[in-house]
Amino acid sequence: MPVPTLPPFPEDVPTHALLIIDYEQLKAGNQDEIDRLWGAATGLGFCLKNHGVQEVVDRMFDMGEATMKLPYEEKMKFEQGDEGRSFGYKAAGANAVDAAGNLDTVEFINIAKDDAYAWPKVAHRTYPSTVSEKMDEAVVPFVKKSTDINTTLLNIFNTKLGLPEGELAKRHQDLEHSGSEARTIKNPAKMSKERTAIGAHTDFGSLSFLHNRLGGLQVLPPGVDEWQYVKPIPGHAICNVGDALAVLSGGILHSNIHRVVPPPGAQAGQERWSQVFFTRPGDSTTLEPLAALSPSIAEAVKKNTDKKLDTGGVTASEWFARRIKNQRIKNRTGPETWEASRGTEQGRA
Ligand SMILES: O=C(O)CCC(=O)C(=O)O
Ligand SMILES: [Fe+2]
């Protein structure tokens, strides 16, 4: 698919600048770049250039377009369901965006990392024909390359957190089943400015690798009251730390609150597509700070008493299922259901 010419991102909206990190320099072991990554990951956040995945991302958008064009009844055969499973299709309006139960406007297709690794065998479930047809050319390479990049980042964080070698890798093994997944998201054109596409949240897992073409993603950094846009830069991927890594690191790494609204300025009225890969810990991983393995994490836990790091010792798979399940509108009994879907947002969203 030729990349369409898109209207520019506006100059006059509040934006949050992310530090640009060069992935090739990280791979080459450039210590300055590694230090810059660490500063950004524990600070304002970062995006990656030279990640080498752009062409495959474009193929994922082709797959997404073909999938969303399928008849509604066909897509619904692959729906994720109300029991807390994420893999499969999610229709627009299936999730709440807030405690009042307003509905989301995005539809998306989630493809399990495990199904991509098992392909052509099935690990969790099957997908629409438009996904199967693009498994070899788009989905499998996207999942494998994204996993590789996130593993490189996790290994750097492992060292910087003072953990014994391989501790984070052990909790994110390619072949252990996990909630890791690829997601292709469509927000329809001409959505009212009043509608929220995806409600305020922190990501559930460890690292998210996100590719946007249009604006609409907003963040609420610590200590800030006004939502700030993240301006997409062509070919750059936005990287987000999720709750699992925030908890494992004792809050040294933190998960940013974000949401998605219709594109701003001249981009308003356009269909908005995004492509994400979510790395999440293996299903059996206990979500608790790795304080016994690292003095700096132990120190951080003592300091970060204000952060919501106590998950009650749940596993990654329990954490994930609870959050997915309680954002489904069909499961809503009242504002308490939204509350039950929350992570480390601490009442800010
Ligand atoms: O579409 C985006 O820019 C972000 C999507 C997102 O936050 C999510 O799916 O968790
Ligand atoms: Fe997110």
Side-chain angles (χ1 to χ4, degrees):
M1 175 173 76
V3 177
T5 315
L6 298 165
F9 185 85
E11 300 289 336
D12 58 349
V13 292
T15 57
H16 180 74
L18 300 175
L19 211 65
I20 298 174
I21 303 293
D22 188 335
Y23 183 65
E24 277 180 6
Q25 292 301 320
L26 295 181
K27 278 292 266 193
N30 179 326
Q31 198 55 48
D32 287 347
E33 200 65 1
I34 290 172
D35 293 345
R36 270 173 25 89
L37 167 67
W38 185 242
T42 52
L44 294 176
F46 64 102
C47 64
L48 279 188
K49 69 173 182 184
N50 292 330
H51 51 66
V53 188
Q54 197 52 46
E55 198 192 316
V56 177
V57 168
D58 290 339
R59 287 187 228 150
M60 288 299 281
F61 281 127
D62 289 343
M63 178 281 293
E65 209 176 321
T67 303
M68 300 319 168
K69 276 192 184 141
L70 291 171
Y72 178 74
E73 301 72 41
E74 182 61 20
K75 292 186 279 192
M76 290 304 279
K77 289 183 194 160
F78 301 91
E79 225 276 338
Q80 57 182 188
D82 296 313
E83 301 308 314
R85 276 185 305 269
S86 180
F87 311 137
Y89 173 72
K90 190 206 73 72
N95 282 351
V97 295
D98 54 27
N102 287 304
L103 302 182
D104 72 345
T105 62
V106 290
E107 59 177 329
F108 51 70
I109 180 81
N110 290 331
I111 306 159
K113 174 264 288 170
D114 300 323
D115 285 316
Y117 272 77
W119 176 254
K121 294 208 179 89
V122 172
H124 296 283
R125 63 163 306 145
T126 59
Y127 300 90
S129 58
T130 47
V131 175
S132 309
E133 282 157 14
K134 293 278 185 182
M135 271 288 193
D136 288 320
E137 168 191 336
V139 181
V140 173
F142 175 72
V143 167
K144 292 197 169 166
K145 283 169 191 270
S146 305
T147 303
D148 215 40
I149 289 169
N150 281 351
T151 302
T152 301
L153 299 177
L154 286 174
N155 286 339
I156 292 173
F157 295 161
N158 193 89
T159 306
K160 289 285 189 186
L161 288 166
L163 285 164
E165 203 179 322
E167 287 297 333
L168 289 180
K170 228 196 268 180
R171 290 164 176 80
H172 299 85
Q173 294 185 54
D174 293 353
L175 297 180
E176 184 189 349
H177 279 194
S178 72
S180 295
E181 62 189 357
R183 172 176 301 168
T184 313
I185 310 172
K186 177 190 175 186
N187 195 41
K190 303 193 178 70
M191 288 313 301
S192 145
K193 270 205 326 225
E194 315 311 317
R195 298 289 299 273
T196 304
I198 300 180
H201 67 282
T202 50
D203 285 346
F204 309 160
S206 294
L207 281 174
S208 313
F209 182 51
L210 168 66
H211 309 263
N212 279 331
R213 289 172 173 169
L214 289 178
L217 173 67
Q218 295 183 315
V219 292
L220 194 62
V224 170
D225 300 327
E226 189 186 19
W227 286 98
Q228 301 176 334
Y229 285 93
V230 178
K231 178 181 173 173
I233 313 175
H236 289 53
I238 297 160
C239 299
N240 242 336
V241 169
D243 282 348
L245 203 49
V247 170
L248 294 172
S249 70
I252 294 176
L253 292 160
H254 63 261
S255 39
N256 263 325
I257 300 169
H258 57 282
R259 69 176 184 181
V260 179
V261 297
Q267 300 185 337
Q270 301 274 326
E271 213 168 67
R272 179 181 187 277
W273 288 86
S274 37
Q275 177 61 46
V276 203
F277 184 75
F278 296 99
T279 293
R280 297 178 172 128
D283 281 346
S284 66
T285 303
T286 304
L287 290 189
E288 61 191 5
L290 301 177
L293 296 172
S294 151
S296 48
I297 295 179
E299 198 54 40
V301 171
K302 275 194 224 138
K303 256 197 349 236
N304 289 329
T305 45
D306 55 325
K307 295 192 181 173
K308 215 173 157 185
L309 302 172
D310 183 4
T311 68
V314 296
T315 62
S317 110
E318 288 162 341
W319 173 265
F320 186 44
R322 170 185 64 79
R323 297 203 60 190
I324 299 282
K325 186 172 179 172
N326 288 297
Q327 64 184 13
R328 297 277 303 178
I329 204 71
K330 280 211 184 128
N331 292 326
R332 184 172 194 272
T333 53
E336 65 280 5
T337 315
W338 175 255
E339 270 319 303
S341 77
R342 304 287 75 197
T344 61
E345 295 92 342
Q346 299 167 281
R348 293 188 75 217

